[in-house]
Amino acid sequence: YQRRVHGDISGNQGSGIVVKGSGSPIVTNNDIHDNKQAGIFCCDRGKGTIKGNMIHDNTKAGVLIKTQGNPTLQGNIIYRGKETGVYIFDGGLGELEDNDIYENQNAGVLVTTTGKPRLVRNRILRNKYEGVWICKKGEGYLEGNDLRYNTKGAIDINEECKPNVELLDNILE
């Protein structure tokens, strides 16, 4: 069973949307902003399709994925977050495809503690830290992403993570 969410999701004391357990909503065409935690928090095996949303100006990450959370993010614009655009950690997964992730105060995408996302054809630009930062046993697959114009460089992969990160045809600068 999948629920559809549409509209303006803002001003919550916690995250704008929380997906967990067997949750697998279709979240499309929303303006998700100015929440006190993450714009979207996906955890505890939560899935779902997050597509075509504006996710911005949230206090924590635009999208936070942990503990086997495994959403599909497609065609979203994730920007001006007060922390990281997308934060994947504690075994979080996720498929990020064709998103625009820019002007966040930390990295565009941060992957730590056995987080293991797939990033394909995203534009991760003009973030205050790296476009993608992988550290503390983070893993991942990155293909065809544009990682230019980030303050601290395109990508930073800590040495212990390099064997578990696959890079293919990304634009680095």
Side-chain angles (χ1 to χ4, degrees), residues 12 41 45 47-48 65 75-76 86 91-92 108 125 150 168:
N12 293 289
F41 180 30
R45 297 171 317 285
K47 294 181 175 33
I65 304 168
N76 298 288
V86 180
L125 312 167
N150 294 286
L168 183 64

Side-chain angles (χ1 to χ4, degrees), residues 3-153:
R3 295 196 54 140
R4 293 184 182 273
V5 179
H6 301 282
D8 182 83
I9 299 165
S10 62
N12 293 289
Q13 291 303 308
S15 295
I17 296 172
V18 177
V19 180
K20 63 183 183 176
S22 61
S24 186
I26 298 170
V27 180
T28 57
N29 303 319
N30 295 284
D31 190 5
I32 303 167
H33 62 97
D34 294 298
N35 296 290
K36 298 294 183 202
Q37 296 290 320
I40 298 174
F41 180 30
C42 187
C43 62
D44 302 331
R45 297 171 317 285
K47 294 181 175 33
T49 300
I50 316 297
K51 187 172 183 178
N53 299 283
M54 304 285 287
I55 303 169
H56 61 97
D57 296 295
N58 293 288
T59 302
K60 300 292 183 184
V63 179
L64 189 108
I65 304 168
K66 67 180 252 186
T67 54
Q68 266 62 57
N70 193 14
T72 298
L73 279 67
Q74 279 186 317
N76 298 288
I77 301 174
I78 302 168
Y79 66 103
R80 278 198 327 246
K82 294 179 179 83
E83 289 187 2
T84 300
V86 180
Y87 183 20
I88 303 141
F89 68 109
D90 281 352
L93 302 166
E95 178 87 28
L96 284 69
E97 183 178 345
D98 194 33
N99 298 285
D100 290 289
I101 303 170
Y102 64 91
E103 294 176 4
N104 294 287
Q105 292 301 309
N106 201 306
V109 177
L110 173 58
V111 183
T112 69
T113 55
T114 65
K116 188 177 181 179
R118 288 179 50 86
L119 282 70
V120 179
R121 292 186 313 277
N122 298 285
R123 290 152 304 281
I124 305 172
L125 312 167
R126 298 187 313 275
N127 294 285
K128 300 290 187 204
Y129 283 68
E130 299 83 359
V132 176
W133 183 13
I134 302 174
C135 58
K136 300 177 188 169
K137 299 184 182 173
E139 304 178 24
Y141 175 84
L142 288 78
E143 179 181 349
N145 298 287
D146 185 345
L147 303 172
R148 295 178 292 168
Y149 316 121
N150 294 286
T151 302
K152 293 190 175 185

